[in-house]
Amino acid sequence: MKGYIIYNEEEAKKNSSFIEKFQNEGTKYDISFQYVPYEEYRRYEEPDLVINRTRDYRVSMYYENNGIAVFNPAYLIHIGNNKYEATGYLSEHLSYEVKDNKWIANTWFIGKTELNSFIDDEYMGRLISNLTGSADNDVVIKSVDGHGGSEVFLLENGVNNLGKRREILEKLSGHDCVVQERIDSDSSDIRVYIIGGKIYAAILRQGENDFRSNYSLGGSVKEYKLDDYQESYVMKFVEALGGSKIGMAGIDFILAKDGSLVFNEIEEMAGSRMLYECTDYDIVKDYVQWISKFI
């Protein structure tokens, strides 16, 4: 079988060893994986399967429309790269037993055309009060399509912090954004890796001198064992997201101080560096094995 791994050129350079792992594992299952540049994928003849690592759902849609197995599917890539669309999708597909409890931080969408309202005291006072109960409370603002925590900002003291609001506005100009209440979490979150609609592993990420817990920003990581209740809870999100339609992805949950999991985002193009560095899991090996049985 011929398999394509599609990356844009810059990402392919950074992930060359990741691509090589797929190629090495593929030989065990008679799958020949080839890197294909995102900029040229339509010029290549049709393969048997595709791993789309571009964050562009239209790539998956192109192959889906031609009857070719593609991981991940277009709908998952779309919501995995728009935090606000993801909340709407889950609101429609999650079971009522999850939605009857607090499953996500209170959220407000701000389109890029109205982002200047962020420095308006009256507008922000009303927004933050609706999210947190008081215009003086902390909130988090982030672009809907950012990755790695680079477009996530903490606004402390709410409406009273005009200087910080101006600084954030400058950095997020031109982006659709969401503003959310800050969840009290000690800067901890859990990345749950999914393969083929099943929980594969979980990693606890702990922020270091930063409210964000991203490993790429210097946070520490270690394997995390979900208890039975947490596994059952996470699986409700997996089922809502399509179950076995998911190839390899991550679902991130904030670990609140009371021990509850609060959904944060879907990472359909989940990186695996921290998984290799702090566990004995070989996610590429197991993912390729799953693909070989799926096709």
Side-chain angles (χ1 to χ4, degrees), residues 53-72:
R53 301 283 292 183
T54 69
R55 296 197 173 101
D56 185 347
Y57 73 92
R58 294 169 297 183
V59 174
S60 289
M61 189 174 292
Y62 171 78
Y63 290 106
E64 288 170 358
N65 290 340
N66 286 284
I68 296 167
V70 57
F71 310 101
N72 279 310

Side-chain angles (χ1 to χ4, degrees), residues 59-291:
V59 174
S60 289
M61 189 174 292
Y62 171 78
Y63 290 106
E64 288 170 358
N65 290 340
N66 286 284
I68 296 167
V70 57
F71 310 101
N72 279 310
Y75 78 90
L76 188 64
I77 292 179
H78 175 62
I79 62 175
N81 290 280
N82 189 308
K83 296 175 178 63
Y84 188 69
E85 294 284 347
T87 64
Y89 183 93
L90 286 169
S91 293
E92 292 182 9
H93 292 84
L94 274 172
S95 62
Y96 286 107
E97 61 186 301
V98 174
K99 292 191 290 185
D100 280 348
N101 298 293
K102 188 179 185 66
W103 63 275
I104 190 170
N106 291 329
T107 301
W108 188 302
F109 175 78
I110 301 182
K112 54 190 172 188
T113 57
E114 59 176 328
L115 196 58
N116 283 333
S117 300
F118 196 61
I119 57 175
D120 181 274
D121 287 348
E122 182 178 350
Y123 174 88
M124 285 300 295
R126 185 169 66 252
L127 187 159
I128 297 173
S129 294
N130 285 337
L131 292 179
T132 70
S134 170
D136 299 334
N137 287 341
D138 301 347
V139 291
V140 174
I141 180 169
K142 48 192 171 184
S143 65
V144 299
D145 56 349
H147 297 278
S150 61
E151 293 175 2
V152 180
F153 302 95
L154 174 64
L155 179 63
E156 296 178 291
N157 304 316
V159 74
N160 294 317
N161 204 330
L162 179 60
K164 184 65 173 180
R165 277 187 281 148
R166 291 185 184 278
E167 179 185 333
I168 292 171
L169 175 62
E170 182 177 341
K171 293 177 180 177
L172 290 177
S173 179
H175 293 271
D176 290 336
C177 298
V178 290
V179 182
Q180 296 179 314
E181 63 173 321
R182 183 185 188 182
I183 301 296
D184 198 0
S185 67
D186 286 333
S187 302
S188 300
D189 81 349
I190 296 171
R191 160 71 56 82
V192 182
Y193 286 90
I194 309 298
I195 291 182
K198 297 184 183 299
I199 295 172
Y200 179 74
I203 299 293
L204 175 67
R205 305 186 294 190
Q206 178 70 55
E208 300 290 343
N209 302 315
D210 196 317
F211 78 100
R212 298 166 294 184
S213 57
N214 302 75
Y215 186 42
S216 59
L217 298 177
S220 61
V221 295
K222 65 180 180 179
E223 186 176 359
Y224 184 87
K225 296 295 186 182
L226 299 167
D227 62 31
D228 291 344
Y229 174 79
Q230 290 173 326
E231 280 197 11
S232 175
Y233 185 74
V234 170
M235 279 305 299
K236 290 185 170 56
F237 285 82
V238 175
E239 290 158 7
L241 291 169
S244 61
K245 294 179 182 178
I246 303 170
M248 185 180 94
I251 309 176
D252 294 346
F253 295 88
I254 298 169
L255 181 60
K257 279 189 175 180
D258 64 6
S260 62
L261 299 181
V262 179
F263 171 77
N264 190 26
E265 63 185 26
I266 303 158
E267 185 56 79
E268 57 77 27
M269 195 173 139
S272 57
R273 182 165 61 96
M274 63 184 178
L275 194 60
Y276 280 105
E277 291 195 6
C278 73
T279 76
D280 293 326
Y281 291 106
D282 189 340
I283 193 169
V284 172
K285 173 184 175 182
D286 295 327
Y287 185 29
V288 173
Q289 183 180 49
W290 175 81
I291 289 173

